[in-house]
């Protein structure tokens, strides 16, 4: 299979593109089947437009017939760890769950240098971009002031070089107990000045006082929250419920994202439904990480894990909670595989969550839904008059797209094939 050639410069007409209707705005499309419809789209000056017959007759545009191939918005990967990526050859990977992965990561710090961190972050971003990602949010380990933290120093170097290619955001990931440290307010002020997001790892037994202080400091400094929550199979976990209750009581107005939320799936139905209702009322958005949680949860040597750790995504969505999927860890102690491929994240989410009846609806979980959570409302959509950012696949239906085969894909950036538009030489790195 192959893809038609796309012009590297100038205006052109994409004919017979198969597009997701729910993620299109202002484009003329045909009748939809399973959420997909055909459309003709003009690409001009790096933007998408509906064809204007009179204008197109006046200027004979090159025509690229896609013959019903899928044209999707570029992806949004809103939960990654690019400071940990590509270290599994040094750390090994966990054989018995999350705590072991944390210990392996902590023990593998000797090989880290600023240059090593930069190279691995560059590799992460180059890989994500080549797969079609347009916006990426990374959690960065943070123990003190960001300026004094290795992950943040490397990120500062890398982010400047990538600001015209990817929408990048960073989250300060730290243990929740650090909110009690004397300099935590100063750290929040520094994050606000940098335009970063406040994060924390919220344990299953988190106390109301710590969570209340977290919200108070976020409010004082105008920070959004993006938290690791209840990454456990303990049905008694209270982290997510406390977050929702605190946000409601305080009337928190910032954006809130809760990642993982594995314990929610293990709760008795009545309690699960009650917690989900609070999450919806609080306006919390949930990001589910099917690869890493499927790998780590209920894991022990010598036996088959029976519980996959996926948040109850169908029930959350039915209650009006926005749900996203993301890559999470890539080739590190927490997950030894991965390639920042959001189609793989979607495929795993659809498979593990049994979502195959509504693939068009769940495509938003790797495009428009996380984009909105990141404050990027026009990213993850095909918009008339909007930037021509899309991914063309040699696929003609959902089964083609989600069957796990290595489908040819072509990424459009500002309307041009990505390789043709590249303005920088990709870095070299060691993989072993």
């Amino acid at each position: 299979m192959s893809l038609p050639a796309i012009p590297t410069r100038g205006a052109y007409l994409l004919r017979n593109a198969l597009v997701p209707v729910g993620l299109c705005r202002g484009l003329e499309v045909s009748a939809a089947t399973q959420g997909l419809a055909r459309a003709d789209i003009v690409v001009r000056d790096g933007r998408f437009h509906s064809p204007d017959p009179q204008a197109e007759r006046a200027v004979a545009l090159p025509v690229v017939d896609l013959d019903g191939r899928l044209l999707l918005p570029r992806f949004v990967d809103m939960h990654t760890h690019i400071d940990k990526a590509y270290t599994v050859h040094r750390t090994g990977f966990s054989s018995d769950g999350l705590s072991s992965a944390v210990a392996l990561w902590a023990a593998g710090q000797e090989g880290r240098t600023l240059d090593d961190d930069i190279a691995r972050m560059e590799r992460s971003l180059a890989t994500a971009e080549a797969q079609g990602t347009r916006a990426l949010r990374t959690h960065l380990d943070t123990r003190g002031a960001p300026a004094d933290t290795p992950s943040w120093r490397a990120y500062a170097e890398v982010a400047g070089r990538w600001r015209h290619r990817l929408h990048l955001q960073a989250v300060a990931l730290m243990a929740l107990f650090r909110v009690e440290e004397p300099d935590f307010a100063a750290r929040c002020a520094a994050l606000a000045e940098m335009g970063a997001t406040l994060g924390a790892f919220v344990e299953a037994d988190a106390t109301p006082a710590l969570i209340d202080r977290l919200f108070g400091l976020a409010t004082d400094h105008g920070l959004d929250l993006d938290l690791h929550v209840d990454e456990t199979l303990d049905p008694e976990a209270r982290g997510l419920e406390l977050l929702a209750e605190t946000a409601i009581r305080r009337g928190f107005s910032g954006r809130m994202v809760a990642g993982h939320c594995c314990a929610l799936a293990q709760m008795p139905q009545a309690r699960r439904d009650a917690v989900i209702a609070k999450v919806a009322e609080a306006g919390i958005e949930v990001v589910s990480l099917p690869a890493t949680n499927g790998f780590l949860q209920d894991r022990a040597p010598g036996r088959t894990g029976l519980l996959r750790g996926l948040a109850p995504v169908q029930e959350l969505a039915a209650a009006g909670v926005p749900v996203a999927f993301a890559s999470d860890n890539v080739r590190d102690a927490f997950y030894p595989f991965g390639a920042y491929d959001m189609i793989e994240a979607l495929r795993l989410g659809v498979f593990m969550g049994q979502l195959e009846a509504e693939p068009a609806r769940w495509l938003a979980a790797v495009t428009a839904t996380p984009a909105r959570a990141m404050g990027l409302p026009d990213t993850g959509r095909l918009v008339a008059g909007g930037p021509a950012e899309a991914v063309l696949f040699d696929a003609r239906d959902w089964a083609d797209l989600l069957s796990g085969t290595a489908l040819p894909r072509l990424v459009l950036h500002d309307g041009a094939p990505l390789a043709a538009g590249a303005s920088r030489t990709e870095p070299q790195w060691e993989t072993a």
Side-chain angles (χ1 to χ4, degrees):
M1 294 189 290
S2 61
L3 293 168
I6 302 291
T8 59
R9 60 175 59 85
Y12 58 91
L13 171 64
L14 293 173
R15 181 162 288 160
N16 292 318
L18 191 64
V19 297
V21 174
L23 297 177
C24 292
R25 184 184 299 153
L27 297 174
E28 297 179 9
V29 299
S30 64
T33 302
Q34 290 192 316
L36 298 173
R38 294 207 181 198
D40 294 343
I41 305 172
V42 171
V43 178
R44 181 188 297 112
D45 298 326
R47 294 185 174 272
F48 288 131
H49 303 274
S50 286
D52 179 339
Q54 184 174 350
E56 309 329 331
R57 281 195 298 270
V59 179
L61 293 180
V63 176
V64 181
D65 191 347
L66 298 187
D67 191 27
R69 291 179 175 87
L70 276 170
L71 185 75
L72 303 182
R74 287 184 64 179
F75 307 117
V76 179
D77 197 351
M78 72 168 299
H79 185 120
T80 69
H81 294 267
I82 66 174
D83 56 346
K84 295 181 173 72
Y86 302 109
T87 55
V88 69
H89 60 283
R90 294 203 298 255
T91 65
F93 56 85
S94 173
S95 62
D96 58 358
L98 178 61
S99 60
S100 175
V102 172
L104 287 169
W105 167 247
Q109 300 303 295
E110 291 184 3
R112 286 184 73 181
T113 65
L114 180 62
D115 288 344
D116 170 69
D117 279 4
I118 289 172
R120 290 184 295 100
M121 289 183 181
E122 289 273 5
R123 182 182 182 184
S124 295
L125 299 182
T127 303
E129 183 190 50
Q131 300 282 23
T133 289
R134 178 64 174 134
L136 181 143
R137 174 181 281 184
T138 182
H139 294 254
L140 299 174
D141 282 0
T142 309
R143 294 189 178 182
D148 299 328
T149 302
S151 295
W152 283 95
R153 291 201 299 269
Y155 178 78
E157 290 277 340
V158 171
R161 290 196 287 270
W162 281 85
R163 66 183 182 277
H164 298 303
R165 303 300 294 268
L166 295 174
H167 299 301
L168 293 178
Q169 295 182 1
V171 181
L173 174 61
M174 48 198 126
L176 182 60
F177 72 81
R178 296 192 182 279
V179 300
E180 295 186 311
E181 294 177 342
D183 66 341
F184 195 85
R187 281 182 234 171
C188 290
L191 292 172
E193 186 174 347
M194 297 161 61
T197 297
L198 180 59
F201 188 89
V202 180
E203 302 273 7
D205 58 353
T207 66
L210 290 177
I211 290 178
D212 190 71
R213 179 159 172 75
L214 178 75
F215 272 88
L217 289 163
T219 299
D220 290 346
H221 296 278
L223 291 167
D224 293 334
L225 292 170
D226 191 333
L227 309 169
H228 287 55
V229 185
D230 292 349
E231 194 174 355
T232 174
L233 298 177
D234 179 2
E236 300 301 318
R238 291 208 61 216
L240 183 60
E241 187 172 20
L242 285 173
L243 287 178
E245 290 174 349
T246 306
I248 293 167
R249 174 171 51 81
R250 281 183 161 271
F252 184 69
S253 59
R255 293 190 181 94
M256 290 177 289
V257 176
H260 300 287
C261 305
C262 308
L264 193 57
Q266 305 307 316
M267 294 176 184
Q269 181 176 348
R271 181 170 177 234
R272 181 179 67 235
D273 291 347
V275 173
I276 289 175
K278 293 176 184 179
V279 170
E281 182 181 354
I284 297 173
E285 310 205 24
V286 170
V287 56
S288 179
L289 297 314
T292 301
N293 288 146
F295 179 81
L296 284 178
Q297 298 299 311
D298 197 25
R299 185 175 184 84
R303 70 167 178 83
T304 301
L306 302 179
L307 305 174
R308 296 294 76 182
L310 189 76
V313 294
Q314 292 196 49
E315 291 80 356
L316 285 161
V321 177
V323 177
F325 296 123
S327 292
D328 202 5
N329 298 87
V330 171
R331 302 193 201 182
D332 59 22
F334 299 80
Y335 185 64
F337 314 118
Y340 294 101
D341 184 354
M342 295 308 291
I343 290 299
E344 176 66 4
L346 176 63
R347 186 176 75 90
L348 286 173
V350 167
F351 170 68
M352 293 171 63
Q354 300 180 339
L355 311 174
E356 63 285 338
E358 296 183 289
R361 175 185 181 183
W362 288 98
L363 179 63
V366 295
T367 52
T369 297
R372 185 178 59 247
M374 291 173 62
L376 304 169
D378 285 337
T379 301
R381 297 180 182 273
L382 304 176
V383 180
E389 304 285 340
V391 190
L392 174 63
F393 287 91
D394 198 359
R396 290 175 169 81
D397 56 28
W398 295 115
D400 277 353
L401 184 71
L402 297 175
S403 289
T405 56
L407 284 173
R409 72 182 74 183
L410 185 149
V411 181
L412 294 181
H413 174 52
D414 288 337
L418 184 64
S423 59
R424 117 188 84 65
T425 301
E426 290 184 359
Q428 301 299 310
W429 43 72
E430 291 188 8
T431 59

